[in-house]
């Protein structure tokens, strides 16, 4: 078999493989969360999210609004040295981020098995 025939067979097989993989993955909501930071943030975003009374007071003081919290839960950095500690039958996570005014803020989120609760918002 000649070299150009080998390349032709290779590219035909590659095209068929890409086609079938795209069919399988196109209908699913797939995410590639390989790193611990992305896994924690994805888990917190996918659960029902509630606000504690302390966090509600902080939101009313205009430290951060719900859009800031949503952005931090998408692009924030989880501080694993202070996080993943048992707290009231859940785990406490400390997430660093910035609000619209570009001020550094910290979110304290309790991750339960069925919900996530924003406990506190701290302005640095």
């Amino acid at each position: 078999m000649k070299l150009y025939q080998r390349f032709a067979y290779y590219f035909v097989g590659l095209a068929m493989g890409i086609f079938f993989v795209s069919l399988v993955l196109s209908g699913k909501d797939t995410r590639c969360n390989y790193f611990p930071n992305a896994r924690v943030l994805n888990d917190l975003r996918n659960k029902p999210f509630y606000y504690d009374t302390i966090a509600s007071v902080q939101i009313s003081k205009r430290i951060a609004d719900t859009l800031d919290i949503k952005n931090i839960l998408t692009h924030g950095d989880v501080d694993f040295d202070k996080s993943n500690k048992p707290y009231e039958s859940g785990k406490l996570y400390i997430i660093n981020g910035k609000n619209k005014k570009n001020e550094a803020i910290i979110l304290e989120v309790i991750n339960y098995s069925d919900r996530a609760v924003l406990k506190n918002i701290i302005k640095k």
Side-chain angles (χ1 to χ4, degrees), residues 43-124:
D43 185 39
L44 293 174
R45 281 192 313 266
N46 288 333
K47 290 182 179 179
F49 199 78
Y50 299 102
Y51 298 96
D52 196 0
T53 55
I54 299 169
S56 298
V57 169
Q58 299 293 350
I59 290 172
S60 67
K61 289 182 181 178
R62 307 272 183 194
I63 292 177
D65 60 0
T66 55
L67 185 61
D68 292 331
I69 294 167
K70 189 179 273 191
N71 286 334
I72 291 172
L73 288 177
T74 304
H75 304 293
D77 294 321
V78 179
D79 188 359
F80 284 103
D81 292 334
K82 299 175 186 173
S83 296
N84 204 9
K85 301 205 172 149
Y87 185 87
E88 297 178 2
S89 72
K91 292 191 177 185
L92 178 69
Y93 286 98
I94 308 296
I95 304 169
N96 299 315
K98 294 189 178 195
N99 60 6
K100 286 185 232 174
K101 301 173 190 171
N102 207 18
E103 299 170 336
I105 58 174
I106 298 171
L107 300 181
E108 293 179 354
V109 180
I110 304 169
N111 188 11
Y112 296 103
S113 60
D114 59 342
R115 70 188 186 281
V117 177
L118 179 61
K119 179 185 169 203
N120 196 3
I121 303 169
I122 303 168
K123 185 176 175 181
K124 275 189 172 180

Side-chain angles (χ1 to χ4, degrees), residues 9-25:
Y9 280 119
Y10 173 76
F11 286 120
V12 167
L14 182 68
M16 288 185 343
I18 290 173
F19 176 73
F20 286 118
V21 168
S22 66
L23 279 178
V24 169
L25 295 180

